[in-house]
Amino acid sequence: MKLYIAEKPSLGRAIAAALPKPQKNHKTHIELANGDVVSWCIGHILAQADPEDYDAELKKWRMESLPIVPEQWQLKPIPRTRAQLTVLRKLVKQADEIIHAGDPDREGQLLVDEVIDYFKLSKTKKANIQRLLISDLNLPAVKRALNSLKPNSDFMPLSISALARSRADWLYGINLTRAYTLQGQKTGYHSVLSVGRVQTPLLGLVVRREQEISQFVSKPFFQVQAHIALSSNEAIAFTAKWQPSESCQPYCDEEGRVVVKALAANVVNRIDNQPATISNIESTEKQQAAPLPFNLSQLQISAAKQFSMNAKLVLDVCQALYERHKLITYPRSDCRYLPKEQLKQAKGIVNTLAQSSLPCNKPAQEANTALVSKAWNDKKITAHHAIIPTEKSPENINLNTFEKNIYLLIVRQYLVQFYPAYIYQQTKVHLLIAGGHFLTQAKMEKQLGWQVLFPKSKKAQTSDNLKQGYDQEQTLPALTKGQIVHCKQGELVEKHTSPPQSFTDATLLGAMTGISRYVSDPAIKKVLKETDGLGTDATRAGIIDLLFKRDFLKRQGKAITATEVGVALINALPEMATLPDMTAQWEATLTAISEKNASYLHFMQPLTNIVTEMVYGASQQSFSGLPKVAFKPKRGKKTFQKKPAKKAS
């Protein structure tokens, strides 16, 4: 008997639909006509044991019992899914062959692996387990996946990486939450100080951003613009901006902006009504390839910017589009590339979209499936690929507004792979006026290419041009190197430095995916350029949501800010616990484990030492800055004495 073990019932039913009929449907499994069985977990059905499961004495929180480091790690059944675990135990024992059908990521790999390990299979039976990777729940895709089984042993590094992550979160969260909570109690704060290796540095990012904003003092800086005509008796043709020389640096800030008004005013006076020489012209044709298809984080960022949707809502909508409607591929993906094998389905997907009545029909009709973008790259594929539409037609499917918006975002990002490059001519003109260096830049579009699918308002175009250094929407006249033109007048422009912006859903997710920008250690920053990230695509939404549930974060319009207790917690903790350096480096090591470039022990041994040091540091830390009055727990929530392990993640 073959036993297929899916991660969830929805996946189990999709697998069964592609297997022999007739079938008997049970609450816990499906029996096939040939005697094979499809069953499932219901998400996690095993959990890390609590400290008191190792030693009853550890139920009481005491500083002297820390750190708690299990010698032999244990898992225990989750009570609400115990019945499913019992059925799986019986089926695994009866099975001659097992097919692992967890979700195609590191957590999905571990989720089924740990259940199989819990039943203590023989070495032979375990060695023969096959891996079924499904990222599209539609029948043709499931059938293709069933014909492409792989040895489960190939995915062991992915499982070990997830196991290391799970145990790291337990060690860090349990020990430091207990240590800091006990210290907080000494100063009269009688509530849990929940600490996690990802959630706490993330909270630290928000708190520090708000501190920067509150402490910000706006300062003026000055620019000089030269208004240029082709001759002294002609109208102004374009404007160029003064580039301060090396000798001006003492009068500039760290970003090279002039802060002494008299210096800028002097330049204005010197260039008024003066000849200007074109010292150099650089004209380059540039091509911009279409953006890659979405992974989950990039989709969440786009949805936050365009529709003000938070990360958790985007993930929930994606799950519905994947499981219920079967319109998109597996959504919890951290990959933005596609396997070359997928090109076989491209024409069918685009044709389906072209025949739909959704706004994507015209872009799909104009797509050229003969074009192959850089997205198709087998070397960049791990357990999953980018999120794309499936071959299933969206016609006659009643999508709510959120579902429709997210689906169309995914569709557009897929369709641009079949559009040509965006091509433009970039021109830089350097001028010398009264000994000063001036620069103007212009951009002329030659082929819109994929950008036709991203129409921009005039305001957005102007904003983009400013970001890229193009001063205005100006067209440059024909110019030659050495040509003498005329500066009709100089203009002094006074601007003011702006405070950093509060985080929003989009920028907070952006900070998590590009965490190296917020890392202080240059060596770690260098490491993280390649393996960048705080948390994973699958966990980021949950971590942000958790900080809101624990009343550490709050919303003020689109802005995400820290609550009083969130600020107090970060101020009370040692800096090491609140910075992303350490946990971002851990994520890099976890990725290295999944890619066979690091070992479990290489990760866990230093981590255990760090936790031990931080527990000792907590015992020396003053928490006098915390509020003296405890925050009341919300009704229905258990207090930390009853279930300490559940408060740490």
Side-chain angles (χ1 to χ4, degrees), residues 10 38 47 51 101 143 145 147 195 237 251 293 310 319 327 343 349 389 392 419 464 553 565 573 586:
S10 57
V38 178
K143 284 182 174 177
N147 290 323
V195 178
Y251 309 99
N310 68 53
Q319 284 297 133
L327 287 175
L343 272 168
I349 293 170
K392 184 176 180 181
Y419 275 72
D464 280 357
L553 292 181
V565 74
L573 293 175
W586 290 357

Side-chain angles (χ1 to χ4, degrees), residues 354-378:
Q355 290 163 23
S356 80
S357 56
L358 291 174
C360 61
N361 57 7
K362 193 168 184 290
Q365 288 160 18
E366 293 173 0
N368 178 5
T369 52
L371 293 175
V372 179
S373 78
K374 62 182 179 181
W376 276 271
N377 187 336
D378 290 340

